[in-house]
Amino acid sequence: MKMPVTPKPPISGWPRSDGISWRVRLALVLLLVIAVATIWVTNRLMTDRFTESTSNRSDLRLTLYTGNLQAELSRNAVLPLLLSRDPTLIGALNSNDFSQSTQRLISFVEEIGAASLMLLDIDGRTVAATDRNRLGSLHRNAAYFVEAIRSNTTAFSVIERESGGFRFFYSRLVESGGTKLGAIVVEVDLRQFEGTWGGISDAVMVADSTGRIILSTESRWRGLKEDEALQRETPQSAIERAIRATADWSALPVEAYLQGEAVMRREKLIPFQGWRMTLFTTYSSIRERVNSILALEIMGFAILLALVFYALSRRTALRMALFQRESAELRALNKRLQREVAERERVQETLAVTEQTLAQSSKLAALGEMSAAVSHELNQPLAAMKTYLAGARLLLRRNRPEEALSSFGRIDDLIERMGAITRQLKSYARKGGDSLAPVNMGDALASSLSMMEPQLRQRQVQITRILPDHQVWVMGDRLRIEQVLVNLLRNALDATKSVNDPEVEIILAAGETATLTVRDNGDGVEDLESLFEPFYTTKRPGDGVGLGLAISSGIVNDLGGRLSARNARGGGAVFEMRLPTMETGVEAAE
């Protein structure tokens, strides 16, 4: 006979299912409300904060741009006054003997850095000029000549080019004993600033007192008013490309519109003839940074919600197991599940500890790599600085201060190089950012050999250079190319330490590619396959960390070239650096 089963009361500490339902729903609703409120507040606060930060950076850039432009104008404003008092130029105008005047102007322009210089006689004819093609041309009706003849002060003129853009001139009357002899004209190169102002999300323009744009990062804006320029610019401009990336960002403050989209507009008055500079900045960086913070918050709330559901499911499973403890099979299953859960928790704890250990190890490894890279790249300039300091000290003791100043000049160049190396090492973590420029391989090689001069003198290494008759130009970063050349020369010197008569041969050849070969008469390379791997080195501890060739290979690859090595038949190692020449380099950069 079966015994009646008495219903058991709910186990103490566990609420009924109906109580759990409304509490859980209330908790979920509160969680969603907190999540939405947090995301909304974060969005507003971070947007305002990053907008203010972007605005401050725009103001700082605008102040820097106007300061550089004003400094260039002020520096060139003094030149006509000084040149108008030059005895040689005054004597040439008095005697009408201008055989040496052009050469003297050329010597001046190399020192002062002006775009060009012209000497005009009283009839407005060019009697001397740094550009010999202008000799004999008449400028009687030119604004800079007319204003200089009429006034005893320095005159500034803006002349529009026929091909577009503007030219800027300072001019002043040249006189002797109250007699007007002619005028000196100094052309100022202000278009050099347009290249440095341009950016992915910035557009800069400078307008004169009438509102006409005379300088701009967008070539089609020059000569127009601001309203006309913003309507005329093509959709392929840099400012509109950045706007398209943030077209959905409508909560930002509107200061100006370009092609119907909002941008940040900053304007600053230049204390020079009523000029003013205007800078446009987009909001792409604000959108990216705010989105990254919002993504982290959303992920955190998603993880929290998943943990809540996980806790609820675990709680329900345990309740069901406790309610059915009368069954032996269910009790055994419950115990087995509990053991598995405990084991899983222990595994998760162990995994968490392991992940923390791996993360710390990764940080330490990254710190070690960066420290080794900095030590490796700065070792050569420091050694050269030590040699130059010793030479300067000896020259000062011998009362030869002028030669000592040249050593201090080289030390200053090495300090600039060390600063550039540290900036370059910081840029390894992010790709791009540096623009390429034409580089003369012969000049880069000469600069590298000059840096290695102390080691070459000490070791008495015979250097053989085979260079082509013409210059070899490539597109790249001269500092990084010189860094590769210094690494190759230093490896060649280290490879010839065991040789009685060390020799290093350098060959530069040009064709479709510029090939620079460095060959030594050392013992050669044993493992060519691992040669360009980081931290691979055959040097003794303390002589190197094995990063030079790895960094050099990465630099050459970034410039579109290739760095290779092989053993020479007669002994020694041969390193070849191939870079695209000028035409090929331009296509690669694009």
Side-chain angles (χ1 to χ4, degrees):
M1 183 178 67
K2 297 182 179 179
M3 297 294 295
V5 178
T6 303
K8 297 182 179 181
I11 299 176
S12 177
W14 295 94
R16 296 182 180 273
S17 60
D18 55 347
I20 293 177
S21 177
W22 71 267
R23 291 179 181 177
V24 171
R25 292 175 182 175
L26 179 60
L28 292 177
V29 171
L30 290 176
L31 180 61
L32 291 176
V33 171
I34 292 174
V36 172
T38 302
I39 293 174
W40 184 82
V41 172
T42 302
N43 182 27
R44 293 296 300 271
L45 292 179
M46 292 297 99
T47 299
D48 295 339
R49 177 181 176 183
F50 291 143
T51 301
E52 182 180 1
S53 176
T54 302
S55 176
N56 293 337
R57 286 197 301 270
S58 299
D59 292 337
L60 181 60
R61 285 196 298 268
L62 190 60
T63 302
L64 178 62
Y65 293 165
T66 55
N68 292 338
L69 183 60
Q70 184 180 357
E72 182 68 13
L73 290 170
S74 300
R75 183 178 66 87
N76 287 276
V78 186
L79 301 179
L81 176 61
L82 299 177
L83 295 177
S84 65
R85 299 177 179 179
D86 184 77
T88 303
L89 298 180
I90 295 175
L93 289 173
N94 282 322
S95 62
N96 289 328
D97 183 10
F98 308 103
S99 58
Q100 301 298 327
S101 300
T102 296
Q103 188 61 36
R104 185 164 183 81
L105 291 182
I106 293 175
S107 65
F108 284 149
V109 79
E110 293 175 354
E111 295 177 359
I112 63 181
S116 65
L117 299 175
M118 290 189 302
L119 180 63
L120 309 179
D121 60 12
I122 193 62
D123 297 327
R125 182 173 58 90
T126 304
V127 294
T130 55
D131 185 2
R132 299 182 184 274
N133 295 326
R134 298 180 180 178
L135 293 175
S137 59
L138 292 177
H139 303 269
R140 183 190 302 272
N141 298 324
Y144 45 80
F145 176 75
V146 174
E147 293 178 5
I149 295 299
R150 292 177 179 177
S151 175
N152 291 327
T153 60
T154 301
F156 180 80
S157 305
V158 180
I159 306 300
E160 188 171 4
R161 299 174 181 266
E162 295 180 358
S163 59
F166 295 86
R167 301 172 65 183
F168 308 89
F169 297 92
Y170 277 107
S171 59
R172 190 176 181 90
L173 175 66
V174 179
E175 58 182 356
S176 175
T179 303
K180 298 181 179 180
L181 302 178
I184 185 72
V185 181
V186 178
E187 183 177 358
V188 184
D189 184 14
L190 298 183
R191 298 187 64 180
Q192 59 178 324
F193 295 101
E194 294 178 340
T196 60
W197 293 341
I200 297 177
S201 59
D202 287 345
V204 184
M205 63 182 183
V206 177
D208 58 13
S209 58
T210 63
R212 182 182 58 172
I213 299 174
I214 57 178
L215 291 173
S216 175
T217 55
E218 302 292 341
S219 59
R220 299 187 61 184
W221 286 1
R222 301 188 191 102
L224 304 176
K225 303 288 186 178
E226 181 177 344
D227 296 337
E228 299 172 354
L230 296 182
Q231 296 176 359
R232 181 175 179 180
E233 181 54 59
T234 59
Q236 287 76 22
S237 65
I239 188 71
E240 188 164 345
R241 287 197 300 270
I243 289 175
R244 287 204 302 268
T246 59
D248 58 338
W249 191 240
S250 57
L252 295 171
V254 177
E255 297 181 2
Y257 285 89
L258 182 59
Q259 297 291 334
E261 300 294 343
V263 296
M264 185 181 299
R265 182 182 184 275
R266 288 291 181 269
E267 182 180 283
K268 186 176 180 63
L269 182 65
I270 303 174
F272 181 79
Q273 296 191 359
W275 287 12
R276 55 184 175 85
M277 178 179 290
T278 305
L279 182 143
F280 296 95
T281 303
T282 61
Y283 298 100
S284 57
S285 60
I286 301 175
R287 174 74 276 176
E288 294 172 357
R289 287 186 286 181
V290 173
N291 281 347
S292 63
I293 296 176
L294 296 181
L296 290 176
E297 290 185 348
I298 293 173
M299 182 175 63
F301 282 113
I303 294 174
L304 180 61
L305 187 62
L307 291 176
V308 171
F309 282 111
Y310 175 76
L312 291 176
S313 62
R314 290 293 303 148
R315 193 167 183 173
T316 302
L318 291 175
R319 187 188 303 113
M320 293 299 296
L322 291 174
F323 284 158
Q324 298 175 1
R325 59 189 175 187
E326 293 84 1
S327 173
E329 294 181 357
L330 292 180
R331 287 198 300 268
L333 178 61
N334 183 43
K335 292 180 180 179
R336 189 161 58 249
L337 290 175
Q338 289 180 351
R339 288 195 298 269
E340 291 178 359
V341 169
E343 183 66 24
R344 182 173 299 175
E345 290 176 351
R346 286 193 296 270
V347 171
Q348 289 178 351
E349 292 177 357
T350 304
L351 180 60
V353 173
T354 304
E355 289 177 351
Q356 293 178 358
T357 304
L358 290 176
Q360 186 66 20
S361 300
S362 176
K363 294 178 181 179
L364 292 176
L367 181 60
E369 292 177 5
M370 181 57 68
S371 300
V374 171
S375 175
H376 179 273
E377 295 300 327
L378 297 183
N379 182 54
Q380 189 68 27
L382 287 174
M385 287 173 61
K386 182 177 180 181
T387 303
Y388 287 136
L389 282 174
R393 187 181 299 112
L394 181 60
L395 290 172
L396 289 175
R397 290 176 181 175
R398 295 179 179 180
N399 196 19
R400 296 160 64 182
E402 295 182 357
E403 298 181 18
L405 286 177
S406 64
S407 297
F408 291 136
R410 293 185 177 180
I411 292 174
D412 184 67
D413 295 339
L414 289 173
I415 292 174
E416 291 292 334
R417 181 182 295 273
M418 292 169 66
I421 287 174
T422 57
R423 291 193 298 272
Q424 178 184 342
L425 289 174
K426 291 190 292 184
S427 68
Y428 284 160
R430 58 182 185 273
K431 298 293 184 182
D434 294 337
S435 60
L436 302 182
V439 177
N440 188 338
M441 290 296 294
D443 293 343
L445 177 59
S447 178
S448 302
L449 289 173
S450 176
M451 184 177 177
M452 295 291 296
E453 182 179 354
Q455 288 79 359
L456 295 175
R457 289 181 177 177
Q458 182 180 2
R459 291 283 312 282
Q460 296 182 354
V461 180
Q462 180 180 352
I463 300 295
T464 303
R465 287 185 291 178
I466 302 177
L467 306 178
D469 296 335
H470 57 279
Q471 295 181 349
V472 180
W473 292 86
V474 298
M475 289 295 294
D477 185 345
R478 175 164 177 171
L479 175 62
R480 302 178 72 188
I481 292 176
E482 290 179 4
Q483 178 182 351
V484 175
L485 295 178
V486 169
N487 282 332
L488 295 181
L489 292 174
R490 183 170 52 196
N491 288 338
L493 292 181
D494 293 339
T496 57
K497 285 184 177 180
S498 59
V499 180
N500 294 329
D501 298 323
E503 297 180 1
V504 177
E505 185 179 24
I506 304 172
I507 303 175
L508 178 60
E512 294 182 356
T513 60
T515 304
L516 190 139
T517 305
V518 179
R519 175 181 299 174
D520 60 73
N521 61 341
D523 298 330
V525 181
E526 296 181 359
D527 189 359
L528 291 173
E529 296 180 356
S530 304
L531 186 60
F532 296 100
E533 294 181 0
F535 300 103
Y536 172 80
T537 179
T538 59
K539 302 176 182 178
R540 294 178 299 177
D543 292 341
V545 295
L547 285 174
L549 291 177
I551 294 175
S552 299
S553 179
I555 291 174
V556 176
N557 291 336
D558 291 342
L559 297 179
R562 183 170 61 91
L563 181 62
S564 60
R566 69 177 189 274
N567 289 322
R569 294 182 179 180
V574 178
F575 288 85
E576 287 186 354
M577 179 178 65
R578 297 179 180 270
L579 292 174
T581 53
M582 177 68 76
E583 294 77 10
T584 307
V586 173
E587 296 176 358
E590 292 176 353

